[in-house]
Amino acid sequence: MARPRVLSGIQPTADSFHLGNYLGAVRQWVTLQETHDAFYCVVDLHAITVPTEPAALRRRTRVAAAQLFAAGLDPERSTVFVQSHVREHAELAWILTCQTGMGEAARMTQFKDKSARYGESAASVGLFTYPILQAADILLYQADSVPVGADQKQHLELTRDLGQRFNHRFGDTFTIPEPYILKEVEKITDLQDPSAKMSKSSSSPAGILDVLEQPGPLRKKIMRAVTDTETEIRFDEENKPGISNLLRIQSALTGTPIPDLVARYAGQGYGTFKKEVAEAVVDAFAPIRERTEKLLGDEAELDRMLAVGAERARAVAGRTMAEVRDRVGFLPTS
Ligand code: TRP
């Protein structure tokens, strides 16, 4: 039997992935390629929903793709591609936009959060319709499941609704995908504000661990991570969010269960603990950074790898779109 298909996307909006992206998405994508027919895209069409410099977009798209390969996505097994290389994404997004109610789109909470940063009327219509483009990404590939963080649940619900609606109105066309919510334990918070998720829009660079960062600054940030005034190392999300976050990081990177770590550090100070967390982070990131730098050093080769991915993606997306076009009543092109 064919392997179930997964599809996921990541935005090229930073010059490096951070630890939250790595543990919460990228590393689990790598695992999924063992058991699934995997499609992963760098979603540059989504990136331009907010003001974006062309040169930065170009650089960040390559950096994102290089990190995906460097983290272990194997171009032989996984289809890694750039969203804008497959024109069908924008085309299907338009058709789905015409199946989406204004009220339905207006209920998407991420728009409210993101547009608050610009002022709602300054935000682009693209930011408003962002979840519909995401639905197109998923439905085009007939994905069975979509590995995403819990914050994407609402977008997945919309995707399912739009897929079902289309199937109902025009006939069975799309696989209705299941969300594959990535592990909660790997939710990583900001080092300077442990109540907030680690994210590029968070407190300050000091709160974020970047995959492509050098060992020195990585160690420094971890040593300076906000903890609490106690001395005991234990997992207590509510009273000790900083220590709990470091335990989660250490556990996720070394594979040692949190209770074993707590036992190991009994009677030890925060300093020793933090040093070991820092080593775990450096050990995980250094090889990825080195491979990323190598890939970025040969842009022609990286672009060629992405062209191969785009071609494979286009084959699938093209098949879906041919059916969609016919079902909605567009005339065949000659
Ligand atoms: N919206 C997702 C995020 O911010 C990124 C994304 C775009 C995505 N298209 C997708 C995720 C398709 C899964 C499937 O994380």
Side-chain angles (χ1 to χ4, degrees):
M1 225 186 74
R3 293 172 159 212
R5 180 169 292 161
V6 288
L7 176 131
S8 198
I10 195 156
Q11 290 205 54
T13 42
D15 287 311
S16 172
F17 292 150
H18 58 65
L19 181 67
N21 304 134
Y22 177 65
L23 291 176
V26 177
R27 193 175 71 160
Q28 300 187 59
W29 292 7
V30 174
T31 308
L32 283 167
Q33 75 182 348
E34 309 292 336
T35 48
H36 287 70
D37 177 19
F39 285 72
Y40 297 122
C41 62
V42 178
V43 293
D44 54 350
L45 298 175
H46 279 106
I48 64 163
T49 56
V50 299
T52 303
E53 282 296 326
L57 181 61
R58 217 168 273 129
R59 183 180 72 242
R60 289 168 172 178
T61 302
R62 287 205 182 93
V63 167
Q67 286 174 104
L68 292 179
F69 292 125
L73 287 182
D74 170 5
E76 297 286 321
R77 282 181 292 171
S78 294
T79 301
V80 178
F81 65 102
V82 175
Q83 186 188 30
S84 67
H85 287 174
V86 184
R87 307 279 199 279
E88 285 82 354
H89 289 251
E91 189 181 1
L92 181 59
W94 173 252
I95 294 170
L96 295 177
T97 299
C98 299
Q99 314 304 319
T100 310
M102 284 292 289
E104 190 174 31
R107 279 195 294 278
M108 296 293 116
T109 54
Q110 196 175 75
F111 174 74
K112 290 176 198 156
D113 298 344
K114 287 196 180 177
S115 62
R117 267 179 249 152
Y118 303 93
E120 201 163 307
S121 62
S124 73
V125 176
L127 187 64
F128 184 69
T129 59
Y130 174 118
I132 307 174
L133 176 60
Q134 184 170 350
D137 298 341
I138 297 164
L139 296 172
L140 263 183
Y141 296 92
Q142 310 289 353
D144 298 295
S145 73
V146 184
V148 281
D151 63 329
Q152 296 293 309
K153 257 189 195 154
Q154 199 186 32
H155 292 172
L156 257 291
E157 270 313 306
L158 178 73
T159 303
R160 291 169 55 85
D161 288 347
L162 291 176
Q164 276 156 351
R165 187 173 307 153
F166 189 99
N167 286 352
H168 185 75
R169 282 190 185 156
F170 300 105
D172 226 0
T173 308
F174 295 122
T175 301
I176 306 305
E178 299 290 336
Y180 176 104
I181 301 300
L182 298 162
K183 286 194 222 102
E184 189 69 14
V185 66
E186 299 185 341
K187 204 166 216 151
I188 301 305
T189 60
D190 189 298
L191 298 181
Q192 290 300 314
D193 174 11
S195 64
K197 193 173 140 181
M198 187 179 286
S199 104
K200 38 187 184 293
S201 52
S202 63
S203 66
S204 70
I208 303 166
L209 297 170
D210 278 330
V211 172
L212 300 183
E213 208 158 15
Q214 296 292 331
L218 284 173
R219 290 195 182 98
K220 202 179 269 174
K221 285 182 186 181
I222 292 167
M223 297 312 289
R224 292 182 183 166
V226 168
T227 52
D228 51 61
T229 53
E230 297 180 5
T231 53
E232 196 194 352
I233 295 163
R234 69 189 149 83
F235 192 80
D236 178 346
E237 199 76 76
E238 194 162 322
N239 299 304
K240 301 172 76 70
I243 290 293
S244 301
N245 188 40
L246 292 175
L247 281 166
R248 244 186 330 242
I249 292 171
Q250 171 83 322
S251 171
L253 290 176
T254 61
T256 311
I258 289 176
D260 296 9
L261 291 174
V262 170
R264 185 201 301 170
Y265 292 115
Q268 307 221 40
Y270 286 180
T272 312
F273 170 52
K274 282 177 157 181
K275 253 187 216 136
E276 293 189 10
V277 175
E279 285 327 295
V281 171
V282 168
D283 287 349
F285 284 1
I288 301 177
R289 175 175 46 79
E290 283 157 20
R291 284 194 292 268
T292 301
E293 284 166 359
K294 197 158 164 240
L295 284 156
L296 290 171
D298 187 352
E299 243 166 44
E301 171 61 10
L302 179 61
D303 289 355
R304 195 198 56 79
M305 291 164 80
L306 291 172
V308 170
E311 196 176 328
R312 289 216 299 256
R314 234 178 264 129
V316 179
R319 241 177 284 135
T320 302
M321 265 323 287
E323 194 178 339
V324 168
R325 294 171 58 87
D326 180 54
R327 290 199 185 270
V328 299
F330 293 161
L331 291 178
T333 53
S334 48

